[in-house]
């Protein structure tokens, strides 16, 4: 990994951090519980993974979340940022691998992004249902039923932790990573040649 690549990773990590700032590029959507906040901070990692390689993308996901914890803190004992890291990694690895391996065209990107969205959604859903929500409820002394009730307020079909995941967390992450795919593809098409030339000079 040459110095220019390291500079690009640092720059993209800083952009990922900015995109994760609450009140700037993060939004709460009325169709989802208030603890689900939409952001597109994985776009820089996707750009790095496709342009510089999957490992560079993983570095960007990790550094972006580390910067978020260091600069803004965490209210989930680090569980939230760690979940974001796993979700981002689960998304960018199949997306970048398939896109770069099978032609670097729109078709390969769509197939890779589709798998990335699927893997990321499964990863987040399982972690939140099995680990994050139970631990969060235990640490802060909040009954899980109260967390489920936040979902019930926006969707009457939600009446348990399983339905909270199925009707809220799953569609939320499909939406989130689909938007990351669209935004990432547009930016990659615009700046990929410039980044490749810079990293290889």
């Amino acid at each position: 990994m040459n110095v220019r690549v390291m500079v690009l990773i640092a720059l993209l990590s800083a952009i990922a951090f900015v995109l994760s700032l609450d009140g700037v590029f993060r939004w709460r959507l009325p169709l989802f519980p208030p603890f689900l906040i939409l952001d597109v901070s994985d776009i820089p990692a996707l750009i790095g993974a496709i342009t510089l390689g999957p490992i560079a993308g993983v570095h960007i996901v990790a550094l972006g979340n580390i910067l978020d914890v260091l600069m803004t803190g965490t209210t989930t004992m680090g569980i939230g940022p760690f979940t974001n890291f796993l979700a981002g990694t689960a998304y960018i690895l199949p997306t970048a691998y398939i896109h770069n391996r099978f032609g670097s065209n729109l078709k390969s990107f769509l197939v890779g992004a589709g798998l990335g969205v699927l893997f990321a959604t499964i990863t987040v859903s399982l972690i939140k249902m099995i680990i994050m929500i139970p631990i969060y409820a235990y640490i802060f002394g909040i009954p899980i039923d109260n967390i489920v009730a936040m979902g019930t307020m926006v969707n009457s079909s939600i009446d348990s932790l399983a339905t909270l995941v199925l009707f809220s967390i799953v569609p939320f992450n499909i939406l989130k990573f689909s938007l990351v795919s669209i935004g990432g593809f547009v930016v990659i098409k615009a700046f990929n040649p410039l980044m490749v030339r810079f990293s290889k000079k």
Side-chain angles (χ1 to χ4, degrees):
M1 188 177 294
N2 62 47
V3 174
R4 293 178 182 274
V5 171
M6 293 174 65
V7 169
L8 285 174
I9 289 175
L11 177 61
L12 289 170
S13 300
I15 295 173
F17 163 66
V18 172
L19 291 176
S20 72
L21 290 175
D22 198 11
V24 182
F25 295 103
R26 302 179 73 188
W27 309 275
R28 287 176 172 84
L29 304 179
L31 297 178
F32 298 100
F35 59 83
L36 294 178
I37 305 174
L38 182 67
D39 70 75
V40 291
S41 60
D42 287 314
I43 287 179
L46 176 61
I47 296 169
I50 288 178
T51 305
L52 308 173
I55 300 304
V58 174
H59 283 135
I60 294 166
V61 175
L63 290 172
N65 280 285
I66 290 172
L67 283 172
D68 188 27
V69 172
L70 293 177
M71 301 299 291
T72 64
T74 173
T75 60
T76 60
M77 306 294 288
I79 299 172
F82 184 65
T83 301
N84 291 338
F85 167 74
L86 293 179
T89 300
Y91 167 73
I92 64 169
L93 288 181
T95 304
Y97 174 78
I98 292 176
H99 179 264
N100 293 342
R101 177 68 176 81
F102 297 101
S104 297
N105 51 42
L106 177 59
K107 181 179 178 180
S108 64
F109 180 85
L110 291 175
V111 173
L115 287 176
V117 171
L118 177 63
F119 289 168
T121 299
I122 292 173
T123 299
V124 173
S125 299
L126 290 176
I127 290 175
K128 289 201 173 185
M129 183 169 66
I130 298 172
I131 300 174
M132 187 175 178
I133 292 178
I135 290 180
Y136 188 85
Y138 174 77
I139 290 175
F140 293 97
I142 303 172
I144 290 181
D145 288 344
N146 288 9
I147 299 175
V148 172
M150 296 181 190
T152 307
M153 292 176 62
V154 296
N155 186 342
S156 60
S157 299
I158 297 174
D159 57 7
S160 65
L161 182 56
T163 54
L164 176 66
V165 171
L166 181 61
F167 297 128
S168 186
I169 293 174
V170 167
F172 176 84
N173 282 281
I174 291 174
L175 172 63
K176 171 183 174 177
F177 287 104
S178 295
L179 291 176
V180 169
S181 300
I182 295 169
F185 184 79
V186 171
V187 175
I188 287 166
K189 284 300 180 183
F191 294 101
N192 183 47
L194 179 63
M195 291 182 63
V196 170
R197 285 199 300 271
F198 178 83
S199 65
K200 292 183 178 180
K201 282 183 178 181

